[in-house]
Each structure stands twice: as C-alpha cells, then as structure tokens.
Amino acid sequence: MTDHSSNAAPKKASRRIPPLVWIVLALLVGWLVVAMMQRQGSDRTPQGGSTPAAAEGTSVMPAAPAQGDAPATPAGTANGPQQPPAQ
C-alpha cells in the first residue's frame, strides 16, 4: 500500500470571502443599475416601451401667517428643480 498523503502537492491556501461581502456587493451593484436606469430621463411603459419623463407640474404654496419673529409669507407658485423659471 502506498501513502498518497506524502506524495500529494501541498494545498494552496484559499482566501474565503464571507457571504455577507457578496450580499453587500450584489446590493451595491443592483442599486447602481437602478440609479443609472432612472437617470436616463425616460419612463418604462407597462408594454415595455419607453416614453419621455413627465415634466413636473406647478406647486402652489399656501399663504402662512406670521408667527412669533417669523414674517408672513404670501401664497404663490413654487418651481421645482426641473421647471423653467417663473415669468
């Protein structure tokens, strides 16, 4: 009988990466993919096509009465970041 353990090549030490690292890496990649898809400026339709992203509607700010040291604010429209300046 021969002993194969003495003839075997020494095993190379393998670095084991914990499963939590792979899970975090997968979540990060998924988050980046979603962020890149949303950044393109188009929306997906239920049929699978794409349509330009909808423009923001105007927002109306209600008037606020003065409270303490804060002054009153008048009612008016507020522009969002994707809206042209008010005329």
Side-chain angles (χ1 to χ4, degrees):
M1 266 184 132
T2 59
D3 185 16
H4 293 294
S5 62
S6 62
N7 295 336
K11 287 190 174 183
K12 186 177 173 182
S14 62
R15 291 205 272 177
R16 294 200 30 93
I17 300 173
L20 183 60
V21 173
W22 291 112
I23 292 169
V24 170
L25 185 63
L27 289 173
L28 181 64
V29 168
W31 177 74
L32 287 173
V33 167
V34 169
M36 292 302 290
M37 288 176 58
Q38 289 181 348
R39 191 175 160 195
Q40 292 177 355
S42 62
D43 295 327
R44 288 278 179 212
T45 63
Q47 292 80 20
S50 63
T51 182
E56 289 184 35
T58 56
S59 297
V60 177
M61 298 289 291
Q67 292 182 350
D69 292 339
T73 56
T77 58
N79 287 336
Q82 303 296 325
Q83 292 178 343
Q87 298 292 330

